[in-house]
Amino acid sequence: MIRIERSVTISSLALAKSVLLMALLAAPSAQAQSADMTFFVTSNGPGKGADLGGLEGADAQCQKLAQAGGAGAKTWRAYLSTQAADGKPAVNARDRIGKGPWQNAKGAVIAKDVADLHGAANNLTKQTALSEKGEGINGVGDQPNRHDILTGSQPDGTAFAGPDDRTCKNWTSSTQGAAMVGHLDRRGLRDDEPSKSWNSSHPSRGPDGGCSQADLKSTGGDGLMYCFASN
């Protein structure tokens, strides 16, 4: 009986050591993969609805989360457009994000370049649009749904012209205005192109004016953004 117990103990210790060794061997690989990440969806927003502190504040949020995710050595940009206002020209989201290619925290390539990203064959889906932590983001059918991603952009990644607000006053308003959002899971209420668009599905709306955190949540969002490494 003593021999059996000792044998079991030794076997258990050997198994534990094997598991620990495998974990240690796997860790550097996971860390290296995170360091190679060049695209993610923010796991959370600043918390003030579509008031992101302008493009500068949005970029800072991307950079902060990338740092936490192990990829802070890169220069990160939020995929956001702004509209012409106060004598300043419009900014196109597609012009802010570098040349590509871009891959998520698990190494899956989203798009090889800007044209590919805005083409029909890009690989941005619910399965690949992961957070900086390598985690999935809730979409249609999940509770709560968080698939609305702030972009302020047209399908080709350019800014909107005209008087209608599509950027919540260039990402400075948490009350009045509206922001164009995309669906990261490529699903909506209808089987049409806007519902399937990752970057230009519908404007935000709600009782607070359209740009508050509550308004964004009411239509299936949470103030989240796409972040791309521009270098």
Side-chain angles (χ1 to χ4, degrees):
M1 181 62 71
I2 293 174
R3 291 174 185 170
I4 294 174
E5 288 177 352
R6 184 172 180 180
S7 175
V8 170
T9 301
I10 293 172
S11 297
S12 298
L13 288 171
L15 178 61
K17 287 180 179 179
S18 297
V19 171
L20 179 60
L21 179 60
M22 291 174 65
L24 290 172
L25 290 173
S29 176
Q31 290 172 358
Q33 203 166 63
S34 295
D36 291 337
M37 175 178 67
T38 50
F39 162 85
F40 65 89
V41 180
T42 55
S43 58
N44 55 73
K48 298 190 293 182
D51 179 2
L52 307 172
L55 290 180
E56 183 178 340
D59 290 345
Q61 178 74 357
C62 286
Q63 196 73 44
K64 181 180 76 171
L65 294 179
Q67 181 72 37
K74 300 179 179 66
T75 300
W76 290 86
R77 295 287 180 262
Y79 182 92
L80 297 173
S81 294
T82 60
Q83 297 171 271
D86 302 324
K88 297 179 181 179
V91 174
N92 302 320
R94 65 180 293 141
D95 298 334
R96 312 189 71 242
I97 59 173
K99 297 180 179 179
W102 299 282
Q103 65 183 40
N104 67 17
K106 294 189 177 179
V109 175
I110 302 300
K112 61 184 180 181
D113 54 34
V114 174
D116 187 33
L117 178 65
H118 294 91
N122 73 51
N123 189 36
L124 200 160
T125 67
K126 183 184 180 184
Q127 289 69 40
T128 62
L130 304 179
S131 75
E132 74 282 357
K133 303 174 184 178
E135 299 172 346
I137 306 292
N138 284 1
V140 172
D142 300 322
Q143 295 297 328
N145 180 12
R146 305 171 80 212
H147 75 164
D148 283 356
I149 309 299
L150 300 171
T151 70
S153 303
Q154 300 185 89
D156 65 353
T158 58
F160 284 90
D164 293 336
D165 186 9
R166 291 293 179 265
T167 61
C168 285
K169 304 188 186 304
N170 287 337
W171 315 112
T172 63
S173 174
S174 60
T175 54
Q176 297 300 313
M180 181 58 68
V181 303
H183 289 165
L184 69 80
D185 56 358
R186 319 297 284 269
R187 294 179 61 191
L189 298 177
R190 296 173 296 278
D191 186 24
D192 58 9
E193 285 307 310
S195 295
K196 298 175 184 178
S197 176
W198 66 274
N199 69 340
S200 195
S201 185
H202 61 83
S204 63
R205 57 189 179 275
D208 291 338
C211 299
S212 71
Q213 192 77 6
D215 285 346
L216 298 180
K217 287 184 175 183
S218 73
T219 59
D222 203 13
L224 307 184
M225 304 177 289
Y226 297 116
C227 297
F228 291 80
S230 62
N231 59 345

